[in-house]
Amino acid sequence: MSSRGNPLFSATFLALLIISLTVALRKWHFTLREKGFGDAAPNVDLSGEELLQQLNERRQELVPFYTTSNRQQLAVFSSVNPQKSDTLGGTTPPVTAGSAIGCSELSGMTVVDVLGAGYTKTVLKVVLQQGITVALKSVNEQGADMRSCLEDFRDPRGCQELVSFKLRKEIILLQRLQHTNIVKLRGQCQDSGLVGGIVAVLEQGTPLQMIQLLQSPWEERFRVCFGLVRLLQYLSQSPLGSVALLDFQPRQFVMVSGELKLTDLDDASVRGPSCQTDSDCLLQFPLRNFTFSCSAHGVCEGLNEMRNLYNAYRYFFIYLLPHQAPAALKPLVDRIMNTTGELKQSVNETLGAFEEVLHVYKSGLHLQNLPPSIMEEFAAVKGMRAVGNMQYRCWPSYEQQACVLSVHNATEAAYVCSSHPECTSFSLSNQTTWTGRLLASFRSGYSQMLPDVSSTVYVKSTKALPAML
Ligand SMILES: Nc1ncnc2c1ncn2[C@@H]1O[C@H](COP(=O)(O)OP(=O)(O)OP(=O)(O)O)[C@@H](O)[C@H]1O
Ligand SMILES: *[C@@H]1O[C@H](CO)[C@@H](O)[C@H](O)[C@H]1NC(C)=O
Ligand SMILES: *[C@@H]1O[C@H](CO)[C@@H](O)[C@H](O)[C@H]1NC(C)=O
Ligand SMILES: *[C@@H]1O[C@H](CO)[C@@H](O)[C@H](O)[C@H]1NC(C)=O
Ligand SMILES: *[C@@H]1O[C@H](CO)[C@@H](O)[C@H](O)[C@H]1NC(C)=O
Ligand SMILES: *[C@@H]1O[C@H](CO)[C@@H](O)[C@H](O)[C@H]1NC(C)=O
């Protein structure tokens, strides 16, 4: 990958990096030797060497992220410094500037919940003194990564450092890759007194619950898939090049206000596999294999992007997209399922197909065959809202104890009401979903109507009539 920035700057930076790594390595070496003498175990020094080698490899892995020239790297760089540092503000504040959260803001925090824990990291929900709620990501001391390191090397400090590199990598990536569908880095802190190592301060989300998502309206499931495709489009042309998510599973994502966001980036890879012939460019999945061509530069063309897209298909689209899609959108959705399942189109073209679905859905073009006469069965009462607990449940409702569905307009709502035997009225307010569709509340009756300028109640005349007499 070529450096696009000032070459002198990059060279100076690299030199600084190497000096710092050397110093850090010496320090580790020293610590390990000291321990070695204490234990007097002959093999400790050997495994110490191996740990040093692994630490060095992890450092090497971070180098490409610094060298793709960007002044933000300075901020990241200084976090290699073992002293206390909260460096997000750095020289070039990223988007999160102004609200950057560092060690001092974390000092008065209260831990309120555990949001998640994986092989490598633990995520806590904390409330800062200023009342802001954030997610705090740190090394999982009880995680599988830490445990296997301790088994191999029996060096708690060395292992802490080794595992921390994954979190460091994630922090750098979160600084360099900014997108609506990537969790926002709100700050960081390195302070051994706090949680023993480096922590990332993230916007708080909720872990992705696939079961819950499966039960939500198609519109919300489509939103998740659409967000994913926009993310993949960004990753395919990111400031770091084409990024592949090697560990691509629902648990790497969280939801923030209905929007899907990537949170686990430690397994992201910036380089495509290198190759000599096309046969080196094989992409294997349990049910399908794909081959790509090896470019003149010796990289597999499009492999990173297509790996992400097929994973999106097998972990998300299959479960979320076809099920309960509006009948008129089915052909478009089926085509997306087919082109992604067979990797027949690029991420770019797939995004285009998603945008087309969204356009048709938003514009109500798929409803053109609704009988307009259906409205004649309903009497509109403007400026009123129905109350009383004569609600019924329907599926998949936006509210658990009631029947609330999204509609394009009153005609579509009338059509829905006519198809539910319980429905005798519905109301529309100015509340909308993410696509701008209206939320309609369907009822089996009401005890009274109250004035509400933003609401209209539509009463089914044939059923309402006897009650009024
Ligand atoms: N910003 C956040 N808000 C809420 N929950 C989060 C957030 N970030 C992560 N989580 C939860 O914490 C879990 C662990 O985080 P993460 O995936 O980064 O750790 P990990 O050790 O790399 O996990 P894995 O073993 O799955 O690779 C996630 O699966 C997710 O459910
Ligand atoms: C994929 O390729 C591997 C290695 O060549 C082979 O063993 C496997 O059977 C192939 N799988 C499918 C589904 O074609
Ligand atoms: C795509 O369509 C072709 C032709 O209709 C069909 O044979 C194939 O099984 C489909 N693939 C997927 C993944 O849906
Ligand atoms: C994807 O689309 C964008 C805008 O439509 C275009 O600028 C870009 O070059 C396309 N990328 C590829 C790989 O086709
Ligand atoms: C609702 O939208 C459909 C489809 O666009 C249209 O045919 C119908 O006239 C609209 N009804 C109202 C009340 O605007
Ligand atoms: C709906 O209308 C009411 C009354 O006009 C207003 O107070 C409220 O902010 C509106 N809500 C939305 C989501 O537009």
Side-chain angles (χ1 to χ4, degrees):
M1 196 169 297
S2 71
S3 162
R4 276 173 296 144
N6 180 342
L8 187 62
F9 178 87
S10 298
T12 317
F13 172 74
L14 252 187
L16 276 171
L17 180 68
I18 287 161
I19 292 167
S20 145
L21 292 185
T22 316
V23 171
L25 273 174
R26 287 230 180 89
K27 194 167 147 275
W28 279 114
H29 202 71
F30 183 67
T31 331
L32 290 165
R33 275 188 186 280
E34 262 186 338
K35 279 194 58 165
F37 286 127
D39 297 353
N43 62 342
V44 165
D45 204 36
L46 240 179
S47 75
E49 293 290 344
E50 162 123 26
L51 178 56
L52 279 179
Q53 195 187 326
Q54 288 202 16
L55 280 165
N56 205 16
E57 279 166 15
R58 296 270 166 101
R59 287 191 181 95
Q60 292 300 321
E61 204 191 328
L62 298 190
V63 171
F65 307 134
Y66 297 108
T67 49
T68 37
S69 168
N70 179 326
R71 285 198 300 142
Q72 268 177 34
Q73 63 201 191
L74 269 186
V76 178
F77 171 58
S78 55
S79 72
V80 176
N81 188 327
Q83 285 162 7
K84 171 173 166 171
S85 57
D86 44 22
T87 51
L88 188 69
T91 41
T92 24
V95 175
T96 41
S99 61
I101 295 165
C103 298
S104 51
E105 285 79 11
L106 293 181
S107 61
M109 70 184 188
T110 317
V111 177
V112 291
D113 205 355
V114 178
L115 290 167
Y119 288 110
T120 315
K121 291 159 282 173
T122 300
V123 183
L124 300 175
K125 177 177 175 177
V126 309
V127 180
L128 306 183
Q129 240 164 5
Q130 307 95 305
I132 308 167
T133 301
V134 292
L136 212 62
K137 215 185 244 198
S138 58
V139 166
N140 184 355
E141 309 283 345
Q142 272 83 48
D145 247 357
M146 193 63 151
R147 252 185 289 128
S148 78
C149 179
L150 285 174
E151 258 168 43
D152 291 349
F153 304 115
R154 277 169 279 134
D155 175 359
R157 273 196 66 193
C159 285
Q160 167 80 35
E161 179 76 2
L162 189 71
V163 179
S164 287
F165 266 105
K166 289 200 179 173
L167 189 51
R168 285 189 203 289
K169 175 178 171 184
E170 188 161 280
I171 290 172
I172 299 166
L173 287 173
L174 287 172
Q175 286 177 322
R176 304 294 310 275
L177 305 174
Q178 297 188 359
H179 187 263
T180 332
N181 299 102
I182 299 179
V183 80
K184 191 174 279 159
L185 181 70
R186 302 200 53 189
Q188 59 173 298
C189 165
Q190 166 131 5
D191 180 358
S192 49
L194 190 66
V195 268
I198 190 160
V199 297
V201 185
L202 306 169
E203 68 178 318
Q204 193 226 315
T206 49
L208 193 68
Q209 302 271 355
M210 214 54 181
I211 304 281
Q212 198 183 316
L213 207 50
L214 286 171
Q215 297 167 357
S216 65
W218 180 82
E219 194 170 336
E220 300 308 310
R221 286 181 275 122
F222 176 75
R223 183 182 189 181
V224 166
C225 297
F226 185 50
L228 193 53
V229 177
R230 275 185 320 203
L231 171 67
L232 298 193
Q233 153 84 359
Y234 172 77
L235 290 180
S236 73
Q237 305 173 12
S238 86
L240 297 171
S242 184
V243 177
L245 304 176
L246 298 182
D247 186 9
F248 192 120
Q249 288 187 54
R251 69 163 193 269
Q252 321 292 359
F253 297 85
V254 291
M255 299 294 291
V256 180
S257 319
E259 197 73 64
L260 182 77
K261 300 204 183 212
L262 177 63
T263 177
D264 188 349
L265 278 113
D266 64 16
D267 284 310
S269 164
V270 169
R271 273 187 207 144
S274 53
C275 56
Q276 263 140 27
T277 67
D278 290 357
S279 59
D280 295 331
C281 299
L282 179 66
L283 191 51
Q284 289 188 26
F285 294 101
L287 300 176
R288 282 296 301 262
N289 289 338
F290 301 93
T291 45
F292 294 86
S293 48
C294 183
S295 77
H297 314 292
V299 289
C300 299
E301 254 166 327
L303 187 131
N304 278 356
E305 150 176 354
M306 287 309 193
R307 175 201 293 271
N308 290 343
L309 188 57
Y310 192 77
N311 276 324
Y313 165 80
R314 69 182 182 130
Y315 284 114
F316 288 86
F317 302 169
I318 286 184
Y319 302 105
L320 301 179
L321 213 47
H323 176 59
Q324 292 224 323
L329 296 178
K330 270 229 142 62
L332 290 174
V333 169
D334 286 346
R335 217 178 71 215
I336 289 177
M337 294 309 290
N338 197 281
T339 59
T340 53
E342 307 267 335
L343 290 185
K344 285 190 224 160
Q345 290 191 339
S346 66
V347 167
N348 234 10
E349 291 164 317
T350 306
L351 181 60
F354 269 85
E355 277 164 351
E356 190 188 345
V357 172
L358 180 62
H359 171 72
V360 174
Y361 190 57
K362 271 175 128 167
S363 62
L365 284 170
H366 62 296
L367 298 171
Q368 267 159 352
N369 298 327
L370 283 184
S373 58
I374 200 145
M375 277 307 285
E376 291 164 14
E377 290 173 34
F378 293 84
V381 188
K382 279 196 177 139
M384 288 290 181
R385 139 175 88 88
V387 294
N389 68 356
M390 289 151 92
Q391 312 242 42
Y392 66 95
R393 288 175 170 196
C394 65
W395 195 79
S397 175
Y398 277 86
E399 274 174 36
Q400 288 217 325
Q401 302 304 326
C403 183
V404 178
L405 303 171
S406 88
V407 295
H408 177 62
N409 60 19
T411 314
E412 188 184 3
Y415 180 74
V416 171
C417 184
S418 304
S419 68
H420 291 173
E422 305 95 324
C423 186
T424 61
S425 72
F426 65 89
S427 53
L428 295 176
S429 69
N430 58 355
Q431 263 194 303
T432 56
T433 63
W434 73 278
T435 62
R437 281 162 60 90
L438 297 166
L439 279 180
S441 176
F442 299 89
R443 296 178 150 263
S444 53
Y446 51 87
S447 51
Q448 58 173 321
M449 284 198 202
L450 296 177
D452 181 343
V453 285
S454 62
S455 168
T456 303
V457 181
Y458 296 82
V459 184
K460 199 169 186 176
S461 14
T462 45
K463 285 185 186 166
L465 220 51
M468 280 168 162
L469 291 173

